[in-house]
Amino acid sequence: MIQNYEIKSINGEEILCLYLNYSYEFGDFFKSSNVLHIKDKVKQYLASMRIKFNGGKILFIVGGLGIASLFLTPADMSDIHALQATYTSNSIIERIIDTDSSFNDALVSVEEGIQKEEDIVIDNIEHNESSSVISTQEEVFEDGSVGGVKIEDLNSISDISTPQIDSSSVTTVEQPIAQEDLITVYRANGSVLQIPFEEYIVGVVAAEMPASFPLEALKAQAVVARTYAKQRLSKGLTLTDSVSTQVYKDESQLRTMWGSSYDIYYSKIKSAVTSTEGLSIYYGGQYIDAVYHSTSNGYTEDAKYVWGNFIPYLQSVSSPWDISASSYLHVDEKSEQVLLNVLGFSISEDTLVEVISRDPSGRVLQVQIGDSLYDGVTLRTILGLRSADFDLEVQNGNLVVTTRGYGHGVGMSQYGAAGMAREGYSFIDILKYYYTGVSIY
């Protein structure tokens, strides 16, 4: 409901501006005109965001229009820190009513009912980051699209379970990408492409998800791709056309991939992107790390089991639609020579091969092969497995591996999205199901 905030100082007095989600039903927030009800919500927000606010005047704003005001007494303020604070975000989000006029003028305009356009500035607070290099195999669909992102650089995914907000550590400014701006894509052939942002999203959706999937699934993929790209660009990171970020294909490549179906498929993908234009996914007011994968094992994965960090919006959820996908079950056989090359030793019928433990989603946590112990993610990487949910069996010196699912399993499942769309769920339903507690706007 409260999307973000800004504290303004006027003549030495602090005024707290609370910006409300434009798509929210305000009647629910202000229901029964119960001042205590509203105060409690505001005080909970102040505590959860750890806002240091020394004033008492509060202005509720949506779309630049002030719709209500509130005053907190010193008694109200004194018990804010006694409230149980819950983690929301490790960044301070600011929104400016009108950068071309003073705050006094803006307040006058609000009082007169004049709606002003907002310039959005998101201050990203520097925090400790943990890097992880994950090399995964992602599915190539029959139409040539590539299912899921191979995340090579996960520096943007950090341990955000214990945020420390310090205004002195502000080092970058995160700004939404203007739709008319050209972005730069570094291509695998060595060339550099400059292209309108939304046109780039069309090429990503076309490459990353089969055009035969339902339209609502393609819309969900468009919002995910847009969020992923904006998050990288806002941090000064680059975009490529490969699985190191997101796969992108230009018109020539799409014509080759789709053949005579090009016009139909392109029109469908374009519709999915256009109908969601400008929409991204946020948690605590900042872009999420919009990771996704081809197929789950029936449950998506909690990010902490893959990258070691608790990420509130990347939690495990049931995804039963994946089980019927052609990519769900796969049997792979690793030869004695391959095992010797990657593990450093060969195995026999007498070699101990045992899955020791699994996480709540069924993916392997620890496995023993001979005298060596491996965690599931590491062994998946070493052996190039499609999933971390696997069974092992030794046959004639070879290792037979049966995997369930395709990809790291974190975030949105593409086959799950398709299954939900076929059951009548909207792209908003899909995104809010796979990314816990997010906002989309």
Side-chain angles (χ1 to χ4, degrees):
M1 177 54 192
I2 301 175
Q3 184 172 298
N4 43 54
Y5 72 91
E6 179 182 24
I7 297 175
K8 283 290 185 178
S9 179
I10 303 298
N11 297 324
E13 181 182 18
E14 290 189 349
I15 296 178
L16 175 65
C17 297
L18 296 178
Y19 296 92
L20 308 183
N21 191 325
Y22 189 83
S23 63
Y24 194 87
E25 174 54 57
F26 301 113
D28 179 64
F29 185 75
F30 296 105
K31 63 183 178 181
S32 303
S33 298
N34 188 329
V35 175
L36 291 179
H37 170 74
I38 298 171
K39 278 188 177 182
D40 286 344
K41 286 193 174 185
V42 170
K43 285 155 62 175
Q44 288 281 1
Y45 182 76
L46 289 172
S48 66
M49 294 295 288
R50 297 172 174 83
I51 299 173
K52 294 181 179 180
F53 174 53
N54 298 319
K57 294 181 181 179
I58 296 173
L59 182 64
F60 297 93
I61 300 173
V62 57
L65 181 66
I67 63 173
S69 62
L70 177 69
F71 183 78
L72 294 184
T73 67
D76 293 321
M77 298 298 295
S78 65
D79 67 350
I80 284 178
H81 297 293
L83 297 173
Q84 181 179 1
T86 57
Y87 170 68
T88 300
S89 171
N90 62 337
S91 66
I92 296 176
I93 311 303
E94 294 186 350
R95 181 167 294 191
I96 301 175
I97 294 178
D98 187 347
T99 56
D100 296 328
S101 63
S102 69
F103 185 65
N104 285 318
D105 292 338
L107 284 178
V108 171
S109 298
V110 166
E111 291 173 357
E112 293 176 349
I114 301 174
Q115 182 171 346
K116 288 185 173 291
E117 293 296 324
E118 297 174 343
D119 295 322
I120 303 172
V121 179
I122 302 176
D123 290 343
N124 183 33
I125 306 305
E126 187 179 84
H127 53 272
N128 293 329
E129 297 181 339
S130 60
S131 303
S132 177
V133 178
I134 307 294
S135 179
T136 67
Q137 293 178 326
E138 302 298 349
E139 179 177 10
V140 178
F141 297 107
E142 291 182 359
D143 67 356
S145 56
V146 179
V149 177
K150 180 172 77 174
I151 305 299
E152 295 286 7
D153 181 2
L154 291 170
N155 288 338
S156 60
I157 295 183
S158 59
D159 186 354
I160 58 178
S161 60
T162 54
Q164 295 182 349
I165 299 178
D166 179 2
S167 60
S168 66
S169 66
V170 178
T171 57
T172 62
V173 176
E174 181 179 310
Q175 295 180 322
I177 307 304
Q179 300 305 311
E180 67 274 16
D181 286 351
L182 297 180
I183 63 167
T184 302
V185 180
Y186 295 88
R187 312 212 66 179
N189 62 11
S191 65
V192 178
L193 175 69
Q194 287 195 315
I195 187 174
F197 183 76
E198 291 294 309
E199 185 178 333
Y200 161 77
I201 298 301
V202 171
V204 170
V205 175
E208 289 280 10
M209 179 176 276
S212 59
F213 273 21
L215 183 60
E216 291 302 306
L218 292 167
K219 289 180 182 179
Q221 182 69 55
V223 178
V224 167
R226 183 180 297 112
T227 305
Y228 180 86
K230 283 188 174 183
Q231 197 263 1
R232 286 188 64 85
L233 292 174
S234 71
K235 292 180 178 296
L237 301 175
T238 59
L239 295 173
T240 72
D241 66 350
S242 71
V243 290
S244 63
T245 56
Q246 297 185 111
V247 179
Y248 164 84
K249 292 189 176 182
D250 58 28
E251 179 183 348
S252 175
Q253 291 172 304
L254 294 178
R255 287 188 180 278
T256 299
M257 182 172 75
W258 288 332
S260 60
S261 299
Y262 172 83
D263 289 337
I264 295 175
Y265 281 164
Y266 183 84
S267 176
K268 186 177 180 182
I269 298 292
K270 180 73 172 179
S271 174
V273 174
T274 301
S275 62
T276 64
E277 184 171 354
L279 292 179
S280 295
I281 313 169
Y282 303 83
Y283 185 88
Q286 65 179 357
Y287 299 124
I288 70 167
D289 290 291
V291 292
Y292 53 97
H293 59 283
S294 166
T295 316
S296 80
N297 67 343
Y299 292 88
T300 65
E301 181 64 294
D302 188 322
K304 69 181 179 182
Y305 292 112
V306 179
W307 300 305
N309 301 322
F310 171 77
I311 301 175
Y313 53 82
L314 295 178
Q315 303 299 302
S316 177
V317 298
S318 173
S319 189
W321 306 276
D322 303 60
I323 296 176
S324 59
S326 59
S327 53
Y328 171 72
L329 196 66
H330 181 75
V331 179
D332 193 11
E333 188 168 335
K334 304 298 181 183
S335 68
E336 181 178 359
Q337 186 59 51
V338 168
L339 296 175
L340 186 61
N341 291 340
V342 298
L343 299 181
F345 58 88
S346 58
I347 61 176
S348 67
E349 302 293 336
D350 297 329
T351 303
L352 176 61
V353 176
E354 180 182 11
V355 172
I356 298 175
S357 59
R358 296 179 182 269
D359 67 26
S361 74
R363 293 170 176 84
V364 173
L365 284 176
Q366 194 172 51
V367 60
Q368 181 170 355
I369 301 180
D371 296 329
S372 301
L373 290 175
Y374 303 90
D375 66 73
V377 172
T378 298
L379 190 63
R380 181 201 170 202
T381 302
I382 291 174
L383 295 181
L385 304 180
R386 292 159 60 112
S387 167
D389 181 0
F390 52 80
D391 295 322
L392 305 174
E393 184 181 359
V394 180
Q395 293 182 2
N396 301 319
N398 297 335
L399 187 65
V400 179
V401 186
T402 302
T403 56
R404 286 169 288 275
Y406 205 143
H408 49 60
V410 183
M412 187 184 76
S413 162
Q414 293 176 308
Y415 269 101
M420 290 185 70
R422 292 188 185 101
E423 291 186 6
Y425 291 98
S426 71
F427 76 95
I428 294 289
D429 296 329
I430 294 169
L431 295 173
K432 289 194 172 184
Y433 182 75
Y434 283 109
Y435 301 104
T436 305
V438 300
S439 298
I440 300 164
Y441 51 90

